[in-house]
């Protein structure tokens, strides 16, 4: 009898344990935007995943890109939404990290849903600048050294034109978030800055056609969704399935558009090789 | 000192004392208020100076704290606006502006103005004036507003300067108002290039403002502040009250003195008049008549009492004068006959002799003595004797010229001074009188005759020599059988008498 009771208790505890395990999936996201806004949107994303996988999703917006890398490495998050550059960098130091899917956007130009975006170097139309030559000795802003479209690609674009930002501009600021670059431009604190095309589209929608594009990058593979190496493969599949089946009209995409200004349109399961072009570009 | 002066002082001195006490009391009160205020103000001034010092120390501490973290140093070196903004925005509750600038003076981040950076503060004094290991402390114009500024260098390896962290608090009326206990009562004013007050609705005179105490360290900020207390105006009003009260008291004193003086003069002048008139009379500087005249001129309508006194005095003087004239009459007349008495005759004769000597006019003296008058007295009594004397007097008066002076020389002897009459004329006149006397009828059987001696004035005669000569003639008439007239011839010897 005693043995039966003990067995029952053991089974129950195991069941509760496994249930607890299923409830705590932490989704980390890089601070591309104001954290409050990111939370607002990502909670919808989390709700969708919970609905599809049965897991309780806890959204964490990291302070910066480094934090996200550290958390992935130490396992304090399970799944992460990484921007391209962070994915490439982290993948090189944490090879066991699992690629789940690639985020896709609807192109403003063609209307196609594609896993690419671009980086733009923009200024205010009112400033009268029309080329990168015009902004010599002016104030310039990147977002973050870990940002793909806010730093890596625009930096590359400048370098290709023989421009060393630190000496070419009077001062180079790092404003971390793309929309802060937009605000700094609007306030006249900087003459030009680097932002993603999604941010630019959102800014145009918000403030009107007040911006001029001084340079545009090649297509950049969009953000990657990854999991830690410890994340069970069955679950990885479940999450991939959930992402792939996310309907185009889901409120999450709408919120991405409305709140963050990103033209979010879906997810695609590609592979790590998709990001090789970035690796190539960074080498240059 | 006259009575009037004494009375004047008697009334005025209490008034002066009262006024002095009043002014002195107010002075004392003001002194006490001033002392209490002074203590209160000193403590408030000290408190406010301490508050500003505390604020400066807090700014200093914040600047020190924001200059140390490695993250801040790295962010400043990189131009990481976001990290610096995050650090500085947590201090915006306490300070108005926190800004980080690089070694060229370009602002890397500014809170709370998140998106305003990239401007240069290289021209501002704290950028060049910040000492190596300490904080810069001063007042700088930031964005057009005078601001208390604390700046500190941010260094790498403790010696490579990366830039500055600068903390400022704008000197605004609202900020100044937070430093004083009661903005309605205490005014804290920043007075350098432009003036900022904790309460713009109150403006006081420049000299009402006082400096705050400060040490050398905080002098660059504290020395520009001034403080004043609106109650200062109450104190000033109190002083004005004291001034006006003193002036009005002095004015009242002056007016009272003047009115009192005029009133006393008006009321007491009649008494002075009376006194002076009486003193003059007493000192024989005036006679009764002129004294009366003086008393009559006293304005009686100004002081009825004095008028009554003057009138009474006047009546008294009139009575005295009347009595005196009566006494004088009595002194000059013979009581029985009403003729001039011997003393009067003496003075009359003296005067007539002087006149004759001066004008060379004739003058005769007739001495008349009733014959056997003793027998009349003895036989018919003194009453009858007196009657004879009176009748004779009446007879003489009735039969003499108005210029003749008749008097009783003594007993039954009479004298007639006849100015302008020679001896001969006098003799005729005497004969007439002798005859009238002889034929006089009395009610009782009295037979009274008279003997007459006449002397004419001759140059050099004195009263006594003239009378003596008349007396000699009378003697001859007596000895020659009585009831007759004798003339004393001119006597050469008489001249020498």
């Amino acid at each position: 009898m005693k043995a039966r009771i003990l067995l029952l208790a053991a089974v129950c505890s195991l069941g509760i344990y496994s249930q607890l395990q299923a409830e705590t999936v932490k989704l980390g996201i890089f601070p591309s935007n104001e954290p409050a806004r990111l939370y607002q949107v990502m909670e919808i994303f989390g709700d969708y995943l919970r609905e599809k996988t049965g897991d309780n999703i806890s959204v964490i917006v990291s302070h910066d890109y480094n934090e996200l890398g550290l958390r992935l490495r130490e396992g304090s998050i399970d799944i992460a939404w990484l921007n391209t550059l962070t994915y490439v960098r982290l993948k090189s130091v944490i090879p066991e990290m699992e690629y789940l899917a690639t985020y896709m956007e609807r192109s403003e130009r063609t209307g196609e849903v594609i896993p690419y975006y671009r980086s733009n170097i923009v200024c205010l139309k009112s400033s009268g600048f029309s080329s990168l030559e015009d902004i010599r000795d002016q104030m310039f802003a990147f977002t973050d050294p870990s940002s793909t479209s806010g730093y890596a690609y625009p930096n590359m674009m400048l370098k290709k034109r023989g421009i060393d930002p630190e000496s070419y501009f009077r001062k180079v600021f790092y404003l971390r978030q793309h929309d802060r670059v937009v605000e700094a431009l609007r306030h006249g604190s900087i003459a030009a800055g680097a932002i993603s095309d999604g941010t630019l589209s959102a800014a145009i929608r918000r403030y009107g056609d007040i911006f001029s594009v001084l340079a545009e990058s090649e297509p950049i593979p969009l953000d990657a969704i990854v999991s830690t190496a410890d994340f069970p493969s069955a679950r990885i599949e479940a999450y991939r399935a959930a992402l792939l089946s996310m309907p185009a009209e889901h409120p999450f995409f709408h919120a991405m558009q409305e709140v963050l200004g990103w033209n979010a349109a879906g997810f695609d399961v590609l592979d790590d090789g998709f990001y090789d072009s970035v690796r190539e570009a960074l080498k240059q | 000192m006259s009575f009037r002066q004494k009375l004047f002082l008697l009334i005025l001195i209490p008034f002066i004392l009262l006024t002095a006490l009043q002014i002195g009391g107010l002075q004392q009160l003001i002194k006490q208020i001033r002392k209490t205020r002074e203590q209160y103000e000193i403590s408030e001034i000290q408190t406010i100076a301490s508050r500003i010092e505390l604020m400066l120390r807090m700014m200093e501490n914040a600047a020190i704290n924001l200059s140390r973290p490695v993250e801040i140093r790295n962010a400043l070196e990189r131009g990481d606006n976001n990290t610096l903004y995050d650090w500085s925005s947590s201090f915006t509750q306490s300070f108005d502006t926190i800004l980080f600038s690089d070694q060229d003076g370009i602002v890397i981040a500014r809170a709370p103005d998140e998106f305003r950076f990239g401007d240069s503060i290289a021209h501002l004094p704290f950028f060049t004036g910040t000492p190596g290991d300490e904080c810069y402390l001063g007042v700088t114009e930031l964005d057009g507003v005078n601001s208390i500024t604390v700046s500190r260098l941010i260094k790498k390896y403790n010696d490579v300067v990366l830039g500055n962290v600068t903390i400022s608090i704008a000197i605004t009326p609202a900020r100044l108002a937070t430093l004083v206990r009661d903005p309605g009562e205490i005014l804290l004013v920043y007075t350098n290039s432009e003036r900022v007050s904790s309460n713009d609705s109150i403006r006081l005179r420049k000299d009402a403002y006082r400096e705050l105490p400060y040490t050398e360290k905080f002098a660059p900020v504290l020395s520009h502040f001034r403080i004043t207390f609106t109650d200062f105006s109450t104190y000033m009003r109190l002083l004005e009250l004291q001034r006006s009260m003193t002036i009005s008291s002095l004015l009242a004193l002056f007016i009272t003195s003047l009115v009192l003086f005029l009133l006393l003069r008006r009321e007491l002048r009649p008494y002075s008049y009376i006194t002076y008139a009486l003193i003059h009379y007493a000192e024989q500087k005036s006679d009764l008549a002129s004294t009366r005249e003086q008393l009559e001129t006293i304005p009686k309508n100004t002081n009825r009492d004095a008028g009554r006194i003057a009138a009474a005095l006047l009546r008294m003087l009139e009575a005295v004068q009347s009595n005196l004239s009566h006494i004088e009459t009595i002194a000059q007349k013979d009581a029985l006959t009403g003729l001039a008495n011997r003393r009067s005759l003496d003075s009359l004769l003296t005067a007539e002799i002087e006149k004759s000597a001066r004008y060379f006019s004739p003058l005769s003296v007739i001495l008349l003595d009733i014959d056997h008058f003793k027998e009349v007295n003895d036989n018919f009594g003194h009453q009858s004797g007196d009657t004879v004397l009176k009748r004779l007097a009446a007879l003489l008066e009735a039969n003499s010229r108005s210029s003749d002076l008749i008097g009783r020389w003594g007993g039954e002897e009479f004298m007639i001074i006849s100015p302008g009459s020679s001896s001969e004329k006098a003799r005729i006149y005497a004969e007439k009188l002798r005859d009238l006397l002889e034929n006089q009828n009395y009610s009782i059987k009295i037979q009274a005759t008279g003997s007459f001696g006449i002397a004419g004035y001759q140059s050099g005669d004195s009263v006594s020599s003239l009378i003596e000569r008349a007396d000699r003639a009378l003697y001859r008439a007596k000895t020659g059988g009585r009831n007759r007239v004798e003339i004393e011839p001119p006597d050469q010897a008489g001249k020498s008498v």
Side-chain angles (χ1 to χ4, degrees):
Chain A
M1 185 64 183
K2 264 189 184 174
R4 277 186 190 173
I5 291 168
L6 278 172
L7 186 67
L8 187 65
V11 168
C12 284
S13 346
L14 196 67
I16 292 164
Y17 175 73
S18 60
Q19 211 176 343
L20 277 174
Q21 280 286 84
E23 278 174 359
T24 51
V25 169
K26 290 182 180 171
L27 167 63
I29 181 144
F30 69 93
S32 61
N33 217 303
E34 216 177 288
R37 286 203 214 166
L38 278 172
Y39 274 114
Q40 190 187 340
V41 175
M42 287 302 157
E43 292 294 346
I44 303 170
F45 186 54
D47 288 348
Y48 172 76
L49 291 177
R50 182 169 58 234
E51 192 188 304
K52 288 286 174 182
T53 62
D55 291 337
N56 270 338
I57 309 295
S58 166
V59 177
I60 293 166
V61 177
S62 73
H63 179 66
D64 55 27
Y65 294 92
N66 286 337
E67 183 190 318
L68 209 55
L70 286 171
R71 277 176 171 273
L72 270 175
R73 200 177 278 180
E74 66 190 27
S76 63
I77 52 173
D78 303 299
I79 302 171
W81 182 316
L82 302 178
N83 71 323
T84 309
L85 191 62
T86 310
Y87 171 74
V88 171
R89 280 180 182 162
L90 285 179
K91 188 68 182 168
S92 68
V93 290
I94 318 170
E96 64 275 20
M97 193 169 72
E98 281 291 336
Y99 165 87
L100 295 186
T102 295
Y103 160 73
M104 291 201 294
E105 284 186 347
R106 188 178 297 279
S107 165
E108 292 264 333
R109 290 184 208 164
T110 62
E112 284 175 293
V113 177
I114 48 167
Y116 297 102
Y117 74 121
R118 287 170 195 265
S119 167
N120 293 310
I121 291 174
V122 297
C123 67
L124 286 179
K125 272 188 180 163
S126 59
S127 68
F129 302 130
S130 58
S131 68
L132 292 174
E133 283 69 39
D134 292 343
I135 56 172
R136 180 194 284 271
D137 288 330
Q138 299 291 331
M139 302 292 179
F140 186 85
F142 290 117
T143 57
D144 190 291
S146 303
S147 167
T148 323
S149 60
Y151 177 73
Y153 271 73
N155 191 36
M156 221 156 57
M157 283 149 61
L158 291 169
K159 289 261 168 75
K160 272 184 188 169
R161 287 168 171 79
I163 294 171
D164 170 26
E166 295 299 332
S167 57
Y168 188 74
F169 299 115
R170 187 168 170 219
K171 184 79 188 174
V172 174
F173 297 96
Y174 292 87
L175 307 186
R176 188 160 301 167
Q177 291 139 22
H178 290 251
D179 48 2
R180 289 187 85 240
V181 176
V182 174
E183 292 306 320
L185 269 174
R186 282 184 59 241
H187 282 82
S189 294
I190 52 172
I195 50 174
S196 67
D197 57 356
T199 307
L200 177 61
S201 302
I204 290 167
R205 277 197 296 278
R206 192 169 175 190
Y207 299 117
D209 188 19
I210 59 167
F211 305 97
S212 286
V213 176
L214 299 176
E216 190 179 46
S217 71
E218 294 296 307
I220 311 166
L222 272 165
D223 303 350
I225 317 296
V226 300
S227 74
T228 57
D230 301 336
F231 204 59
S233 56
R235 279 218 171 125
I236 289 174
E237 286 313 317
Y239 277 87
R240 275 184 180 153
L243 291 172
L244 279 173
S245 64
M246 196 167 188
E249 67 280 6
H250 193 272
F252 169 65
F253 297 131
H254 186 66
M256 286 284 271
Q257 175 79 55
E258 285 298 307
V259 181
L260 303 180
W262 295 4
N263 292 322
F267 296 90
D268 197 4
V269 178
L270 303 166
D271 58 21
D272 178 60
F274 175 65
Y275 293 94
D276 286 345
S277 65
V278 181
R279 294 187 180 101
E280 283 302 311
L282 286 176
K283 277 182 196 164
Q284 292 170 19
Chain B
M1 192 181 278
S2 71
F3 173 68
R4 192 170 67 190
Q5 286 166 332
K6 281 179 187 166
L7 195 61
F8 180 73
L9 288 179
L10 194 70
I11 297 170
L12 208 60
I13 284 170
F15 188 79
I16 292 169
L17 281 176
L18 208 65
T19 307
L21 277 175
Q22 213 171 7
I23 294 171
L26 187 67
Q27 178 76 37
Q28 204 61 30
L29 181 73
I30 287 169
K31 212 183 261 181
Q32 274 176 3
I33 291 173
R34 176 76 180 156
K35 202 174 165 188
T36 317
R37 283 294 311 172
E38 192 63 38
Q39 283 167 352
Y40 165 75
E41 285 176 9
I42 286 169
S43 116
E44 282 298 319
I45 288 169
Q46 196 59 53
T47 305
I48 287 164
S50 303
R51 278 183 194 159
I52 298 177
E53 265 190 35
L54 181 69
M55 190 170 83
L56 291 170
R57 285 184 202 280
M58 278 172 64
M59 291 172 85
E60 252 188 343
N61 284 342
I64 291 166
N65 289 336
L66 284 172
S67 69
R68 283 179 177 161
V70 179
E71 194 182 356
I72 287 176
R73 292 210 299 263
N74 292 341
L76 185 60
E77 201 171 9
R78 279 202 313 270
D80 181 350
N81 162 281
N82 189 257
T83 300
L84 295 176
Y85 173 74
D86 282 351
W87 274 92
S88 52
S89 61
S90 56
F91 285 84
T92 50
Q93 288 283 326
S94 310
F95 312 115
D96 290 336
T97 306
I98 300 102
L99 64 86
F100 289 95
S101 51
D102 68 7
Q103 71 272 33
D104 298 322
I106 292 170
V107 176
I108 308 299
R110 177 189 269 115
D113 219 348
E114 184 178 353
F115 297 109
R116 195 160 70 84
F117 54 88
D119 50 322
S120 175
I121 48 96
H123 60 288
L124 294 174
F126 61 80
F127 180 72
T128 47
T130 305
D133 294 314
E134 282 172 25
C135 287
Y136 166 91
L137 221 128
V139 176
T140 316
E141 193 180 314
L142 281 181
D143 301 326
V145 180
N146 277 309
S147 305
I148 298 171
T149 312
V150 172
S151 190
R152 191 174 173 87
L153 294 179
I154 298 176
K155 295 180 194 169
K156 190 165 75 169
Y157 315 128
N158 225 15
D159 66 343
V160 178
V161 175
L162 299 174
N164 282 53
V165 55
T166 305
I167 293 168
S168 74
I169 287 179
I171 303 170
T172 59
R175 176 66 76 171
L176 295 184
T178 62
L179 293 167
V180 298
R181 196 175 48 75
D182 179 358
E185 192 205 327
I186 304 167
L187 273 187
L188 182 63
V189 179
Y190 170 76
T191 57
N192 199 12
S193 48
E194 82 181 87
R195 186 192 141 93
V196 186
S197 170
S198 61
N199 190 340
D200 274 330
S201 59
I202 305 172
R203 287 226 160 205
L204 295 177
R205 289 202 320 263
K206 250 187 178 175
D207 62 351
Y209 292 89
R210 295 156 75 173
E211 277 198 3
L212 290 176
Y214 53 81
T215 53
E216 197 186 340
K217 180 180 177 182
F218 298 114
V221 174
L222 278 169
S223 64
H224 298 309
F225 285 90
R226 297 287 181 276
I227 188 169
T228 190
F229 296 79
T230 54
D231 254 24
F232 183 82
S233 60
T234 312
Y235 176 69
M236 292 308 285
R237 279 203 296 277
L238 214 57
L239 280 186
E240 268 165 34
L241 176 75
Q242 186 199 23
R243 232 190 327 269
S244 63
M245 200 165 153
T246 308
I247 290 170
S248 57
S249 297
L250 288 176
L251 198 68
L253 189 67
F254 173 73
I255 291 169
T256 309
S257 309
L258 190 72
V259 169
L260 191 64
F261 175 76
L262 293 174
L263 194 74
L264 285 178
R265 198 170 75 159
R266 181 185 142 98
E267 291 296 316
L268 296 181
R269 193 155 64 164
Y271 296 109
S272 303
Y273 260 82
I274 295 166
T275 311
Y276 283 125
L278 293 179
I279 288 171
H280 265 247
Y281 177 69
E283 289 173 351
Q284 294 184 341
K285 288 176 184 166
S286 63
D287 55 11
L288 266 181
S290 58
T291 306
R292 272 182 60 191
E293 270 171 30
Q294 277 182 7
L295 287 177
E296 274 167 351
T297 58
I298 291 172
K300 292 175 184 66
N301 58 338
T302 55
N303 185 331
R304 278 191 288 168
D305 288 340
R308 277 202 287 270
I309 290 170
L313 274 173
L314 210 55
R315 280 197 299 277
M316 200 173 81
L317 283 182
E318 278 167 3
V320 167
Q321 200 174 13
S322 149
N323 287 342
L324 274 179
S325 63
H326 185 62
I327 289 163
E328 211 168 297
T329 309
I330 290 168
Q332 287 175 357
K333 301 243 166 147
D334 175 57
L336 183 68
T337 59
L339 296 176
N341 59 17
R342 182 166 182 160
R343 192 166 67 91
S344 182
L345 284 170
D346 262 348
S347 59
L348 288 170
L349 186 57
T350 304
E352 288 305 324
I353 284 172
E354 274 178 19
K355 253 191 250 174
S356 288
R358 193 178 304 147
Y359 302 113
F360 302 106
S361 56
L363 170 70
S364 293
V365 171
I366 305 164
L367 274 177
L368 181 162
D369 189 86
I370 300 170
D371 299 329
H372 305 297
F373 185 71
K374 191 175 176 301
E375 286 166 24
V376 175
N377 273 341
D378 291 347
N379 295 337
F380 301 103
H382 284 282
Q383 200 85 30
S384 300
D386 287 349
T387 305
V388 170
L389 290 172
K390 281 185 204 170
R391 291 287 291 274
L392 176 61
L395 186 138
L396 288 175
E397 270 195 319
N399 293 284
S400 56
R401 298 175 303 175
S402 61
S403 59
D404 292 340
L405 305 162
I406 305 157
R408 187 177 172 197
W409 188 244
E412 65 275 27
E413 207 168 337
F414 291 83
M415 179 184 280
I416 300 160
I417 301 164
S418 188
S421 296
S422 61
S423 302
E424 188 50 33
K425 257 189 180 176
R427 191 191 62 78
I428 295 164
Y429 173 43
E431 274 298 341
K432 181 184 156 193
L433 290 174
R434 189 199 57 77
D435 185 51
L436 285 168
L437 185 62
E438 191 176 15
N439 295 308
Q440 184 77 17
N441 287 320
Y442 300 96
S443 56
I444 46 168
K445 210 178 173 185
I446 296 171
Q447 178 69 44
T449 59
S451 303
F452 294 78
I454 297 167
Y457 170 73
Q458 61 184 34
S459 180
D461 260 341
S462 66
V463 171
S464 57
S465 68
L466 186 59
I467 292 171
E468 196 185 310
R469 287 199 298 114
D471 202 42
R472 274 206 299 269
L474 177 62
Y475 181 74
R476 273 206 315 278
K478 285 280 182 190
T479 53
R482 292 187 173 87
N483 192 21
R484 52 186 290 155
V485 176
E486 283 292 334
I487 298 173
E488 177 69 7
D491 182 7
Q492 290 302 312
K495 281 183 185 175
S496 61
V497 177

